[in-house]
Coordinates of all heavy atoms in Angstrom, one line a residue:
M1172 N -42.6 -39.4 -17.7 CA -42.2 -40.0 -19.0 C -40.7 -40.3 -19.0 O -40.0 -39.4 -18.9 CB -42.7 -39.1 -20.1 CG -42.3 -39.6 -21.4 SD -42.8 -38.4 -22.8 CE -44.5 -38.3 -22.4
A1173 N -40.3 -41.5 -19.3 CA -38.9 -41.8 -19.5 C -38.4 -41.2 -20.8 O -39.1 -41.1 -21.7 CB -38.7 -43.3 -19.4
K1174 N -37.1 -40.9 -20.7 CA -36.4 -40.4 -21.9 C -36.6 -41.2 -23.1 O -36.9 -40.7 -24.2 CB -34.9 -40.1 -21.5 CG -34.2 -39.5 -22.7 CD -32.7 -39.2 -22.2 CE -31.9 -38.6 -23.3 NZ -30.5 -38.5 -22.9
G1175 N -36.5 -42.5 -22.9 CA -36.6 -43.4 -24.0 C -38.0 -43.4 -24.6 O -38.1 -43.5 -25.9
N1176 N -39.0 -43.3 -23.8 CA -40.4 -43.3 -24.3 C -40.6 -42.0 -25.1 O -41.2 -42.0 -26.1 CB -41.4 -43.3 -23.1 CG -41.4 -44.6 -22.5 OD1 -41.0 -45.7 -23.0 ND2 -42.0 -44.7 -21.3
F1177 N -40.1 -40.8 -24.6 CA -40.2 -39.6 -25.3 C -39.5 -39.7 -26.7 O -40.1 -39.3 -27.7 CB -39.6 -38.5 -24.5 CG -39.7 -37.1 -25.1 CD1 -40.9 -36.4 -25.1 CD2 -38.7 -36.6 -25.9 CE1 -41.0 -35.2 -25.7 CE2 -38.8 -35.4 -26.6 CZ -40.0 -34.7 -26.4
N1178 N -38.3 -40.2 -26.7 CA -37.6 -40.4 -28.0 C -38.4 -41.2 -29.0 O -38.5 -40.9 -30.2 CB -36.2 -41.0 -27.8 CG -35.3 -40.0 -27.1 OD1 -35.5 -38.7 -27.1 ND2 -34.3 -40.4 -26.4
K1179 N -39.0 -42.3 -28.5 CA -39.8 -43.2 -29.4 C -41.0 -42.4 -29.9 O -41.3 -42.5 -31.1 CB -40.3 -44.4 -28.6 CG -39.3 -45.4 -28.4 CD -39.9 -46.6 -27.7 CE -38.8 -47.6 -27.3 NZ -39.4 -48.7 -26.5
L1180 N -41.6 -41.6 -29.1 CA -42.8 -40.8 -29.5 C -42.4 -39.8 -30.6 O -43.2 -39.6 -31.6 CB -43.4 -40.1 -28.4 CG -44.2 -40.9 -27.3 CD1 -44.6 -40.1 -26.1 CD2 -45.4 -41.5 -28.0
V1181 N -41.3 -39.1 -30.5 CA -41.0 -38.0 -31.4 C -40.2 -38.5 -32.7 O -40.0 -37.7 -33.6 CB -40.2 -36.8 -30.7 CG1 -41.1 -36.2 -29.7 CG2 -38.9 -37.2 -30.2
N1182 N -39.8 -39.7 -32.6 CA -39.0 -40.2 -33.8 C -39.9 -41.1 -34.7 O -39.3 -41.8 -35.6 CB -37.8 -41.1 -33.3 CG -36.7 -40.2 -32.9 OD1 -36.2 -39.4 -33.7 ND2 -36.2 -40.3 -31.7
R1183 N -41.1 -41.0 -34.6 CA -42.0 -41.8 -35.5 C -42.1 -41.0 -36.8 O -41.7 -39.9 -37.0 CB -43.4 -41.9 -34.9 CG -43.4 -42.7 -33.6 CD -44.8 -42.9 -33.1 NE -45.3 -41.6 -32.6 CZ -46.5 -41.4 -32.1 NH1 -47.3 -42.5 -31.9 NH2 -46.8 -40.3 -31.6
N1184 N -42.7 -41.7 -37.8 CA -42.8 -41.2 -39.1 C -43.9 -40.0 -39.1 O -43.8 -39.1 -39.8 CB -43.2 -42.2 -40.1 CG -42.1 -43.1 -40.5 OD1 -40.9 -42.8 -40.4 ND2 -42.4 -44.3 -40.9
K1185 N -44.9 -40.2 -38.3 CA -46.0 -39.2 -38.2 C -45.5 -38.0 -37.3 O -45.0 -38.2 -36.2 CB -47.2 -39.8 -37.5 CG -48.4 -38.9 -37.5 CD -49.6 -39.7 -37.0 CE -50.9 -38.9 -37.0 NZ -52.0 -39.6 -36.5
P1186 N -45.7 -36.8 -37.8 CA -45.2 -35.6 -37.0 C -45.9 -35.6 -35.6 O -47.1 -36.1 -35.4 CB -45.6 -34.4 -37.8 CG -45.7 -34.9 -39.2 CD -46.1 -36.4 -39.1
V1187 N -45.2 -35.1 -34.6 CA -45.7 -35.0 -33.2 C -45.6 -33.6 -32.7 O -44.5 -33.0 -32.7 CB -45.0 -36.0 -32.3 CG1 -45.5 -35.9 -30.9 CG2 -45.1 -37.4 -32.8
L1188 N -46.7 -33.1 -32.2 CA -46.8 -31.8 -31.6 C -46.7 -32.0 -30.1 O -47.6 -32.7 -29.5 CB -48.0 -31.0 -31.9 CG -48.2 -29.6 -31.3 CD1 -47.1 -28.7 -31.7 CD2 -49.5 -29.0 -31.6
V1189 N -45.7 -31.5 -29.4 CA -45.5 -31.6 -28.0 C -45.9 -30.3 -27.3 O -45.3 -29.3 -27.6 CB -44.0 -32.1 -27.7 CG1 -43.9 -32.2 -26.1 CG2 -43.6 -33.3 -28.4
D1190 N -46.8 -30.5 -26.3 CA -47.2 -29.4 -25.5 C -46.5 -29.4 -24.1 O -46.7 -30.4 -23.4 CB -48.7 -29.4 -25.3 CG -49.2 -28.4 -24.2 OD1 -48.5 -27.3 -24.1 OD2 -50.2 -28.6 -23.6
F1191 N -45.5 -28.6 -23.9 CA -44.8 -28.5 -22.6 C -45.6 -27.6 -21.7 O -45.8 -26.4 -22.1 CB -43.4 -28.0 -22.8 CG -42.4 -29.0 -23.5 CD1 -42.3 -28.9 -24.8 CD2 -41.7 -29.9 -22.7 CE1 -41.4 -29.8 -25.5 CE2 -40.9 -30.8 -23.4 CZ -40.7 -30.8 -24.8
Y1192 N -46.1 -28.1 -20.6 CA -47.1 -27.4 -19.8 C -46.8 -27.7 -18.3 O -46.0 -28.6 -17.9 CB -48.5 -27.8 -20.1 CG -48.9 -29.1 -19.6 CD1 -49.7 -29.2 -18.4 CD2 -48.5 -30.3 -20.1 CE1 -50.0 -30.4 -17.9 CE2 -48.7 -31.5 -19.6 CZ -49.6 -31.6 -18.4 OH -49.9 -32.8 -17.9
A1193 N -47.6 -27.0 -17.4 CA -47.6 -27.4 -16.0 C -49.1 -27.2 -15.6 O -49.8 -26.4 -16.1 CB -46.7 -26.5 -15.2
D1194 N -49.5 -28.0 -14.6 CA -50.9 -28.0 -14.1 C -51.2 -26.6 -13.5 O -52.4 -26.2 -13.6 CB -51.1 -29.1 -13.0 CG -51.0 -30.5 -13.6 OD1 -51.3 -30.7 -14.8 OD2 -50.6 -31.4 -12.9
W1195 N -50.3 -25.9 -12.9 CA -50.6 -24.7 -12.2 C -50.6 -23.5 -13.1 O -50.9 -22.4 -12.8 CB -49.5 -24.4 -11.1 CG -48.1 -24.6 -11.6 CD1 -47.4 -25.8 -11.5 CD2 -47.3 -23.7 -12.3 NE1 -46.1 -25.5 -12.0 CE2 -46.1 -24.3 -12.6 CE3 -47.5 -22.4 -12.7 CZ2 -45.0 -23.6 -13.3 CZ3 -46.5 -21.7 -13.4 CH2 -45.2 -22.4 -13.7
C1196 N -50.2 -23.7 -14.4 CA -50.1 -22.6 -15.4 C -51.4 -22.2 -16.0 O -52.0 -23.0 -16.8 CB -49.0 -23.1 -16.5 SG -49.0 -22.1 -17.9
G1197 N -51.8 -21.0 -15.8 CA -53.1 -20.5 -16.3 C -53.1 -20.5 -17.8 O -54.1 -21.0 -18.4
P1198 N -52.1 -19.9 -18.5 CA -52.1 -20.0 -20.0 C -52.1 -21.4 -20.6 O -52.7 -21.7 -21.6 CB -50.8 -19.2 -20.3 CG -50.5 -18.3 -19.2 CD -51.0 -19.1 -18.0
C1199 N -51.4 -22.3 -19.8 CA -51.5 -23.7 -20.3 C -52.9 -24.3 -20.2 O -53.3 -25.0 -21.1 CB -50.6 -24.6 -19.4 SG -48.8 -24.1 -19.4
Q1200 N -53.6 -23.9 -19.2 CA -55.0 -24.4 -19.1 C -55.9 -23.8 -20.2 O -56.8 -24.4 -20.7 CB -55.6 -24.0 -17.7 CG -54.9 -24.7 -16.6 CD -55.2 -24.2 -15.2 OE1 -56.0 -23.4 -15.0 NE2 -54.5 -24.7 -14.2
T1201 N -55.6 -22.5 -20.6 CA -56.3 -21.9 -21.7 C -56.0 -22.6 -23.0 O -56.9 -22.8 -23.8 CB -55.9 -20.4 -21.8 OG1 -56.2 -19.7 -20.5 CG2 -56.6 -19.7 -22.9
M1202 N -54.8 -23.0 -23.1 CA -54.3 -23.7 -24.4 C -54.8 -25.1 -24.5 O -55.0 -25.6 -25.6 CB -52.8 -23.6 -24.4 CG -52.1 -23.8 -25.7 SD -52.4 -22.4 -26.8 CE -52.4 -23.2 -28.4
A1203 N -55.1 -25.8 -23.4 CA -55.5 -27.2 -23.4 C -56.6 -27.5 -24.4 O -56.5 -28.4 -25.2 CB -55.7 -27.7 -22.0
P1204 N -57.8 -26.8 -24.3 CA -58.9 -27.2 -25.2 C -58.6 -26.9 -26.6 O -59.1 -27.6 -27.6 CB -60.1 -26.4 -24.7 CG -59.5 -25.3 -23.8 CD -58.2 -25.8 -23.3
I1205 N -57.8 -25.8 -26.9 CA -57.3 -25.5 -28.3 C -56.5 -26.7 -28.9 O -56.7 -27.1 -30.0 CB -56.6 -24.2 -28.3 CG1 -57.5 -23.0 -27.8 CG2 -55.9 -23.9 -29.6 CD1 -56.8 -21.7 -27.5
L1206 N -55.6 -27.2 -28.0 CA -54.8 -28.3 -28.5 C -55.6 -29.6 -28.7 O -55.4 -30.3 -29.7 CB -53.7 -28.6 -27.5 CG -52.5 -27.6 -27.5 CD1 -51.7 -27.7 -26.2 CD2 -51.7 -27.8 -28.7
E1207 N -56.6 -29.8 -27.8 CA -57.5 -30.9 -28.0 C -58.2 -30.9 -29.3 O -58.3 -31.8 -30.1 CB -58.4 -31.0 -26.8 CG -59.1 -32.3 -26.7 CD -59.9 -32.5 -25.5 OE1 -59.5 -32.1 -24.4 OE2 -61.0 -33.1 -25.5
E1208 N -58.8 -29.7 -29.5 CA -59.6 -29.5 -30.8 C -58.8 -29.6 -32.0 O -59.1 -30.3 -33.0 CB -60.3 -28.2 -30.8 CG -61.4 -28.0 -29.8 CD -62.0 -26.6 -29.9 OE1 -61.9 -25.9 -30.9 OE2 -62.5 -26.2 -28.8
T1209 N -57.6 -29.0 -32.0 CA -56.6 -29.1 -33.1 C -56.2 -30.5 -33.3 O -56.1 -31.0 -34.5 CB -55.4 -28.2 -32.8 OG1 -55.9 -26.8 -32.6 CG2 -54.4 -28.2 -34.0
G1210 N -55.9 -31.2 -32.2 CA -55.5 -32.7 -32.4 C -56.6 -33.5 -33.0 O -56.2 -34.3 -33.9
K1211 N -57.8 -33.3 -32.7 CA -58.9 -34.0 -33.3 C -59.0 -33.7 -34.8 O -59.2 -34.5 -35.7 CB -60.2 -33.7 -32.6 CG -60.3 -34.4 -31.3 CD -61.6 -34.1 -30.6 CE -61.7 -34.7 -29.2 NZ -62.8 -34.3 -28.4
E1212 N -59.0 -32.3 -35.1 CA -59.1 -31.9 -36.5 C -57.9 -32.4 -37.4 O -58.1 -32.7 -38.6 CB -59.2 -30.4 -36.6 CG -60.5 -29.9 -36.2 CD -60.7 -28.4 -36.4 OE1 -60.0 -27.8 -37.3 OE2 -61.4 -27.7 -35.7
M1213 N -56.8 -32.5 -36.8 CA -55.6 -32.8 -37.6 C -55.0 -34.2 -37.3 O -53.9 -34.5 -37.6 CB -54.5 -31.8 -37.4 CG -55.0 -30.4 -37.9 SD -53.6 -29.2 -37.9 CE -52.6 -29.7 -39.3
E1214 N -55.9 -35.1 -36.7 CA -55.4 -36.4 -36.2 C -54.7 -37.3 -37.3 O -53.9 -38.1 -37.0 CB -56.5 -37.1 -35.5 CG -57.6 -37.6 -36.3 CD -58.7 -38.2 -35.5 OE1 -58.4 -38.8 -34.4 OE2 -59.9 -38.2 -35.9
E1215 N -55.1 -37.1 -38.5 CA -54.5 -37.9 -39.6 C -53.1 -37.4 -39.9 O -52.3 -38.1 -40.5 CB -55.4 -37.9 -40.8 CG -56.7 -38.7 -40.6 CD -57.5 -38.7 -41.8 OE1 -57.0 -38.4 -42.9 OE2 -58.7 -39.0 -41.6
K1216 N -52.8 -36.1 -39.6 CA -51.5 -35.5 -40.0 C -50.5 -35.4 -38.9 O -49.3 -35.4 -39.1 CB -51.8 -34.1 -40.6 CG -52.5 -34.1 -41.9 CD -52.7 -32.7 -42.4 CE -53.5 -32.7 -43.7 NZ -53.6 -31.3 -44.2
V1217 N -51.0 -35.3 -37.6 CA -50.1 -35.0 -36.5 C -50.7 -35.6 -35.2 O -51.9 -35.5 -35.0 CB -49.8 -33.5 -36.3 CG1 -51.1 -32.7 -36.0 CG2 -48.8 -33.2 -35.3
D1218 N -49.8 -36.1 -34.4 CA -50.3 -36.5 -33.0 C -49.9 -35.4 -32.0 O -48.9 -34.7 -32.2 CB -49.5 -37.8 -32.6 CG -50.0 -39.0 -33.3 OD1 -51.2 -39.0 -33.7 OD2 -49.2 -40.0 -33.5
V1219 N -50.7 -35.2 -31.0 CA -50.5 -34.2 -30.0 C -50.2 -34.9 -28.7 O -51.0 -35.8 -28.3 CB -51.7 -33.3 -29.8 CG1 -51.4 -32.2 -28.8 CG2 -51.9 -32.6 -31.2
I1220 N -49.1 -34.7 -28.0 CA -48.8 -35.2 -26.7 C -48.5 -34.1 -25.7 O -48.0 -33.0 -26.1 CB -47.7 -36.2 -26.7 CG1 -46.3 -35.6 -27.1 CG2 -48.0 -37.4 -27.6 CD1 -45.1 -36.5 -26.9
K1221 N -48.7 -34.3 -24.5 CA -48.5 -33.3 -23.4 C -47.4 -33.8 -22.5 O -47.3 -35.0 -22.2 CB -49.8 -33.1 -22.6 CG -50.9 -32.5 -23.4 CD -52.2 -32.4 -22.6 CE -52.2 -31.3 -21.7 NZ -52.2 -30.0 -22.2
V1222 N -46.4 -32.9 -22.2 CA -45.3 -33.2 -21.3 C -45.4 -32.2 -20.1 O -45.2 -31.0 -20.4 CB -44.0 -33.1 -22.1 CG1 -42.9 -33.3 -21.0 CG2 -43.9 -34.1 -23.1
N1223 N -45.6 -32.7 -19.0 CA -45.6 -31.9 -17.8 C -44.2 -31.5 -17.3 O -43.4 -32.4 -17.0 CB -46.4 -32.6 -16.7 CG -46.6 -31.8 -15.4 OD1 -45.6 -31.1 -14.9 ND2 -47.7 -31.9 -14.8
V1224 N -43.8 -30.3 -17.4 CA -42.5 -29.9 -17.1 C -42.0 -30.1 -15.7 O -40.8 -30.3 -15.4 CB -42.2 -28.4 -17.5 CG1 -42.4 -28.2 -19.0 CG2 -43.0 -27.4 -16.7
D1225 N -43.0 -30.1 -14.8 CA -42.7 -30.4 -13.4 C -42.3 -31.9 -13.2 O -41.4 -32.2 -12.4 CB -43.8 -30.0 -12.4 CG -44.0 -28.5 -12.4 OD1 -43.1 -27.7 -12.5 OD2 -45.2 -28.1 -12.2
K1226 N -42.9 -32.7 -13.9 CA -42.7 -34.2 -13.7 C -41.7 -34.7 -14.7 O -41.2 -35.8 -14.6 CB -44.0 -34.9 -14.0 CG -45.1 -34.6 -12.9 CD -46.4 -35.3 -13.2 CE -47.4 -35.0 -12.2 NZ -48.7 -35.6 -12.5
N1227 N -41.3 -33.9 -15.7 CA -40.3 -34.3 -16.7 C -39.3 -33.2 -16.9 O -39.1 -32.7 -18.0 CB -41.1 -34.6 -18.1 CG -42.1 -35.7 -17.9 OD1 -41.7 -36.9 -17.9 ND2 -43.3 -35.4 -17.8
Q1228 N -38.6 -32.9 -15.8 CA -37.7 -31.7 -15.9 C -36.5 -32.0 -16.8 O -36.0 -31.0 -17.5 CB -37.2 -31.4 -14.5 CG -38.3 -30.9 -13.6 CD -37.8 -30.6 -12.2 OE1 -36.6 -30.7 -11.8 NE2 -38.7 -30.2 -11.3
A1229 N -36.0 -33.2 -16.9 CA -34.9 -33.5 -17.8 C -35.2 -33.2 -19.3 O -34.5 -32.7 -20.0 CB -34.4 -34.9 -17.6
I1230 N -36.4 -33.6 -19.7 CA -36.8 -33.4 -21.0 C -37.0 -31.9 -21.3 O -36.6 -31.4 -22.3 CB -38.2 -34.2 -21.3 CG1 -37.9 -35.7 -21.2 CG2 -38.7 -33.8 -22.7 CD1 -39.1 -36.6 -21.3
A1231 N -37.6 -31.2 -20.3 CA -37.8 -29.8 -20.5 C -36.5 -29.1 -20.6 O -36.3 -28.2 -21.4 CB -38.6 -29.2 -19.3
Q1232 N -35.5 -29.5 -19.8 CA -34.1 -28.8 -19.9 C -33.5 -29.2 -21.2 O -32.8 -28.3 -21.8 CB -33.3 -29.4 -18.7 CG -33.7 -28.8 -17.4 CD -32.8 -29.3 -16.2 OE1 -32.3 -30.4 -16.4 NE2 -32.8 -28.5 -15.2
R1233 N -33.6 -30.4 -21.7 CA -33.0 -30.8 -22.9 C -33.4 -29.9 -24.1 O -32.6 -29.6 -24.9 CB -33.5 -32.2 -23.2 CG -32.9 -32.8 -24.5 CD -33.3 -34.3 -24.6 NE -33.3 -34.7 -25.9 CZ -34.0 -35.8 -26.3 NH1 -34.6 -36.6 -25.4 NH2 -34.0 -36.2 -27.6
F1234 N -34.7 -29.4 -24.0 CA -35.2 -28.6 -25.1 C -35.2 -27.1 -24.7 O -35.8 -26.3 -25.5 CB -36.6 -29.1 -25.6 CG -36.4 -30.4 -26.3 CD1 -36.8 -31.5 -25.6 CD2 -36.0 -30.5 -27.5 CE1 -36.7 -32.8 -26.2 CE2 -35.8 -31.8 -28.1 CZ -36.2 -32.9 -27.4
G1235 N -34.6 -26.7 -23.6 CA -34.5 -25.3 -23.2 C -35.8 -24.6 -23.0 O -36.0 -23.5 -23.3
I1236 N -36.7 -25.4 -22.3 CA -38.1 -24.8 -22.1 C -37.9 -23.8 -20.9 O -37.6 -24.1 -19.8 CB -39.1 -25.9 -21.7 CG1 -39.2 -26.9 -22.8 CG2 -40.4 -25.3 -21.4 CD1 -39.5 -26.5 -24.2
R1237 N -38.1 -22.5 -21.3 CA -38.0 -21.4 -20.3 C -39.3 -20.8 -19.9 O -39.4 -20.2 -18.9 CB -37.1 -20.3 -20.9 CG -35.7 -20.8 -21.3 CD -34.7 -20.6 -20.1 NE -33.3 -21.0 -20.5 CZ -32.8 -22.2 -20.3 NH1 -33.6 -23.1 -19.8 NH2 -31.6 -22.5 -20.8
S1238 N -40.3 -20.9 -20.8 CA -41.6 -20.4 -20.5 C -42.6 -21.5 -21.0 O -42.4 -22.2 -21.9 CB -41.9 -19.1 -21.1 OG -41.8 -19.1 -22.5
I1239 N -43.8 -21.4 -20.3 CA -44.8 -22.4 -20.8 C -46.2 -21.6 -20.9 O -46.3 -20.6 -20.3 CB -45.0 -23.5 -19.7 CG1 -45.1 -23.0 -18.3 CG2 -43.9 -24.5 -19.8 CD1 -45.4 -24.0 -17.3
P1240 N -47.0 -22.1 -21.8 CA -46.8 -23.3 -22.6 C -45.8 -23.0 -23.7 O -45.7 -21.9 -24.3 CB -48.2 -23.5 -23.2 CG -48.8 -22.1 -23.3 CD -48.3 -21.4 -22.1
T1241 N -45.1 -24.1 -24.1 CA -44.2 -24.1 -25.3 C -44.6 -25.3 -26.1 O -44.8 -26.4 -25.6 CB -42.8 -24.2 -24.9 OG1 -42.3 -23.0 -24.2 CG2 -41.9 -24.4 -26.1
L1242 N -44.8 -25.0 -27.4 CA -45.2 -26.1 -28.4 C -44.0 -26.4 -29.2 O -43.4 -25.4 -29.8 CB -46.4 -25.6 -29.2 CG -47.7 -25.2 -28.4 CD1 -48.7 -24.7 -29.3 CD2 -48.2 -26.4 -27.6
I1243 N -43.7 -27.6 -29.4 CA -42.6 -28.0 -30.4 C -43.2 -29.1 -31.3 O -43.7 -30.1 -30.8 CB -41.4 -28.5 -29.7 CG1 -40.8 -27.4 -28.7 CG2 -40.3 -28.9 -30.7 CD1 -39.5 -27.9 -28.0
L1244 N -43.1 -28.9 -32.6 CA -43.4 -29.9 -33.6 C -42.2 -30.6 -34.0 O -41.3 -30.0 -34.5 CB -44.1 -29.2 -34.8 CG -44.5 -30.1 -36.0 CD1 -45.7 -31.0 -35.5 CD2 -44.9 -29.3 -37.2
F1245 N -42.3 -31.9 -33.8 CA -41.2 -32.8 -34.3 C -41.6 -33.6 -35.5 O -42.7 -34.1 -35.6 CB -40.9 -33.8 -33.2 CG -40.2 -33.3 -31.9 CD1 -41.1 -32.8 -30.9 CD2 -38.9 -33.2 -31.8 CE1 -40.5 -32.3 -29.8 CE2 -38.3 -32.7 -30.7 CZ -39.1 -32.2 -29.6
K1246 N -40.7 -33.6 -36.5 CA -40.8 -34.4 -37.7 C -39.6 -35.3 -37.8 O -38.5 -34.8 -37.8 CB -40.9 -33.6 -39.0 CG -42.3 -32.8 -39.1 CD -42.3 -31.8 -40.2 CE -42.2 -32.4 -41.6 NZ -42.3 -31.4 -42.6
N1247 N -39.8 -36.6 -37.7 CA -38.7 -37.6 -37.7 C -37.7 -37.3 -36.7 O -36.5 -37.3 -37.0 CB -38.1 -37.7 -39.1 CG -39.1 -38.2 -40.2 OD1 -39.8 -39.1 -39.9 ND2 -39.2 -37.4 -41.3
G1248 N -38.1 -36.9 -35.5 CA -37.2 -36.6 -34.4 C -36.6 -35.2 -34.4 O -35.8 -34.9 -33.5
Q1249 N -36.8 -34.4 -35.5 CA -36.2 -33.1 -35.6 C -37.2 -32.0 -35.3 O -38.4 -32.2 -35.7 CB -35.6 -32.9 -37.0 CG -34.6 -33.9 -37.4 CD -33.3 -33.9 -36.5 OE1 -32.8 -32.8 -36.3 NE2 -32.9 -35.0 -36.0
I1250 N -36.8 -30.9 -34.7 CA -37.7 -29.8 -34.5 C -38.0 -29.1 -35.8 O -37.1 -28.6 -36.5 CB -37.1 -28.8 -33.5 CG1 -36.9 -29.5 -32.1 CG2 -38.0 -27.6 -33.3 CD1 -36.2 -28.7 -31.1
A1251 N -39.3 -29.1 -36.1 CA -39.7 -28.4 -37.4 C -40.3 -27.1 -37.1 O -40.4 -26.2 -38.0 CB -40.8 -29.3 -38.1
W1252 N -40.8 -26.9 -35.9 CA -41.4 -25.6 -35.6 C -41.5 -25.5 -34.0 O -41.6 -26.5 -33.3 CB -42.8 -25.5 -36.1 CG -43.6 -24.3 -35.7 CD1 -43.5 -23.1 -36.2 CD2 -44.7 -24.3 -34.7 NE1 -44.5 -22.2 -35.6 CE2 -45.2 -23.0 -34.7 CE3 -45.2 -25.3 -33.9 CZ2 -46.2 -22.6 -33.8 CZ3 -46.3 -24.9 -33.0 CH2 -46.7 -23.5 -33.0
R1253 N -41.4 -24.3 -33.5 CA -41.4 -24.1 -32.0 C -42.1 -22.7 -31.7 O -41.8 -21.8 -32.4 CB -40.0 -24.1 -31.5 CG -39.9 -23.9 -30.0 CD -38.4 -24.0 -29.6 NE -38.3 -23.7 -28.2 CZ -37.6 -24.4 -27.4 NH1 -36.8 -25.4 -27.8 NH2 -37.5 -24.1 -26.1
K1254 N -42.9 -22.7 -30.7 CA -43.5 -21.4 -30.3 C -43.9 -21.5 -28.8 O -44.4 -22.5 -28.3 CB -44.8 -21.2 -31.1 CG -45.7 -20.1 -30.7 CD -45.1 -18.8 -31.3 CE -46.1 -17.7 -31.0 NZ -45.5 -16.6 -30.3
A1255 N -43.5 -20.4 -28.1 CA -43.9 -20.3 -26.7 C -45.0 -19.3 -26.6 O -45.1 -18.3 -27.3 CB -42.7 -19.8 -25.9
G1256 N -46.0 -19.6 -25.7 CA -47.1 -18.7 -25.5 C -48.4 -19.2 -26.0 O -48.4 -20.2 -26.6
L1257 N -49.4 -18.3 -25.9 CA -50.7 -18.7 -26.4 C -50.9 -18.5 -27.9 O -50.3 -17.5 -28.4 CB -51.8 -17.9 -25.6 CG -52.0 -18.2 -24.1 CD1 -52.9 -17.2 -23.5 CD2 -52.5 -19.6 -23.9
L1258 N -51.7 -19.3 -28.5 CA -52.1 -19.2 -29.8 C -53.6 -19.5 -30.0 O -54.1 -20.3 -29.1 CB -51.4 -20.2 -30.7 CG -49.9 -20.1 -30.9 CD1 -49.3 -21.3 -31.6 CD2 -49.5 -18.9 -31.7
T1259 N -54.2 -18.9 -30.9 CA -55.6 -19.2 -31.1 C -55.6 -20.6 -32.0 O -54.5 -20.9 -32.5 CB -56.4 -18.2 -32.0 OG1 -55.8 -18.1 -33.3 CG2 -56.4 -16.8 -31.3
K1260 N -56.7 -21.2 -32.1 CA -56.8 -22.5 -32.8 C -56.4 -22.2 -34.3 O -55.6 -23.0 -34.9 CB -58.2 -23.0 -32.7 CG -58.3 -24.4 -33.4 CD -59.6 -25.0 -33.1 CE -60.4 -25.3 -34.4 NZ -61.7 -25.8 -34.2
N1261 N -56.9 -21.1 -34.9 CA -56.6 -20.8 -36.3 C -55.1 -20.5 -36.5 O -54.5 -20.9 -37.5 CB -57.4 -19.6 -36.7 CG -58.9 -19.9 -36.9 OD1 -59.3 -21.1 -37.0 ND2 -59.8 -18.9 -36.9
Q1262 N -54.5 -19.8 -35.5 CA -53.1 -19.5 -35.6 C -52.3 -20.9 -35.5 O -51.4 -21.1 -36.3 CB -52.6 -18.6 -34.5 CG -53.1 -17.2 -34.6 CD -52.7 -16.4 -33.4 OE1 -52.8 -16.9 -32.2 NE2 -52.4 -15.1 -33.5
L1263 N -52.7 -21.7 -34.6 CA -51.9 -23.0 -34.4 C -52.1 -23.8 -35.7 O -51.1 -24.4 -36.2 CB -52.5 -23.7 -33.2 CG -51.9 -25.1 -32.9 CD1 -50.4 -25.1 -32.8 CD2 -52.5 -25.7 -31.7
I1264 N -53.3 -24.0 -36.2 CA -53.5 -24.8 -37.4 C -52.7 -24.2 -38.6 O -52.0 -24.9 -39.3 CB -55.0 -24.9 -37.8 CG1 -55.7 -25.8 -36.8 CG2 -55.2 -25.4 -39.2 CD1 -57.1 -25.9 -36.8
A1265 N -52.7 -22.9 -38.7 CA -51.9 -22.2 -39.8 C -50.4 -22.6 -39.7 O -49.7 -22.9 -40.7 CB -52.1 -20.8 -39.8
H1266 N -49.9 -22.5 -38.4 CA -48.4 -22.8 -38.2 C -48.2 -24.2 -38.5 O -47.2 -24.6 -39.2 CB -48.0 -22.5 -36.8 CG -47.9 -21.0 -36.5 ND1 -46.9 -20.2 -37.1 CD2 -48.5 -20.2 -35.7 CE1 -46.9 -19.0 -36.6 NE2 -48.0 -18.9 -35.7
L1267 N -49.0 -25.1 -38.1 CA -48.8 -26.5 -38.4 C -48.9 -26.9 -39.8 O -48.1 -27.6 -40.3 CB -49.8 -27.4 -37.6 CG -49.7 -27.4 -36.1 CD1 -50.9 -28.1 -35.4 CD2 -48.4 -28.0 -35.6
Q1268 N -49.8 -26.3 -40.5 CA -49.9 -26.6 -41.9 C -48.7 -26.1 -42.7 O -48.2 -26.8 -43.7 CB -51.2 -25.9 -42.6 CG -52.4 -26.7 -42.1 CD -53.7 -26.0 -42.5 OE1 -53.8 -24.8 -42.7 NE2 -54.8 -26.7 -42.6
K1269 N -48.1 -24.9 -42.3 CA -46.9 -24.5 -42.9 C -45.7 -25.4 -42.6 O -44.9 -25.7 -43.6 CB -46.5 -23.1 -42.4 CG -47.3 -22.0 -43.0 CD -46.8 -20.6 -42.5 CE -47.8 -19.6 -42.7 NZ -47.4 -18.3 -42.0
A1270 N -45.7 -25.9 -41.4 CA -44.5 -26.7 -41.0 C -44.6 -28.2 -41.5 O -43.6 -28.9 -41.6 CB -44.4 -26.7 -39.5
L1271 N -45.8 -28.7 -41.8 CA -46.0 -30.0 -42.2 C -45.7 -30.1 -43.7 O -45.4 -30.8 -44.4 CB -47.4 -30.5 -41.9 CG -47.7 -30.7 -40.4 CD1 -49.2 -31.0 -40.2 CD2 -46.8 -31.7 -39.8

């Protein structure tokens, strides 16, 4: 993903939840279906995108991604919420509803 494309995605009016992950990461694989379900349930309020840290190292460095999975919610290009590690679907939805 080019830096310009990423900036366009997170600078929209609709909030964007970014999942920083890697294919080899076990916790990331556990989080994937939770993010998919949450994205479907909250599709009118938030978009969910995935950023592979191995393929997008510059973007990962820009946001100081040190552990994965890391979730960052962007509202109008600004970080509204950030969390590293696993969450249940209920925890994720609760965090998003507070931040939105």
Side-chain angles (χ1 to χ4, degrees):
M1172 175 181 306
K1174 184 178 177 183
N1176 290 344
F1177 181 83
N1178 290 339
K1179 284 181 187 175
L1180 287 171
V1181 299
N1182 280 305
R1183 296 184 292 184
N1184 289 332
K1185 187 175 182 181
V1187 178
L1188 178 65
V1189 181
D1190 171 28
F1191 289 91
Y1192 78 101
D1194 292 331
W1195 49 263
C1196 167
C1199 298
Q1200 293 169 7
T1201 301
M1202 200 68 212
I1205 294 168
L1206 286 163
E1207 190 173 324
E1208 288 176 28
T1209 301
K1211 286 178 184 173
E1212 282 187 30
M1213 298 188 73
E1214 67 184 333
E1215 292 181 17
K1216 296 182 180 181
V1217 65
D1218 286 333
V1219 178
I1220 64 169
K1221 297 175 74 64
V1222 174
N1223 185 315
V1224 297
D1225 291 331
K1226 295 178 182 174
N1227 300 283
Q1228 293 178 3
I1230 294 170
Q1232 286 178 338
R1233 179 174 155 200
F1234 294 101
I1236 305 302
R1237 302 266 183 267
S1238 63
I1239 49 176
T1241 292
L1242 303 173
I1243 301 179
L1244 178 67
F1245 291 89
K1246 288 173 67 177
N1247 299 313
Q1249 301 297 313
I1250 295 173
W1252 174 78
R1253 179 182 180 134
K1254 174 80 171 125
L1257 290 174
L1258 294 169
T1259 66
K1260 184 173 122 183
N1261 289 340
Q1262 289 171 323
L1263 178 56
I1264 289 173
H1266 284 296
L1267 291 174
Q1268 287 174 336
K1269 282 183 199 172
L1271 294 172

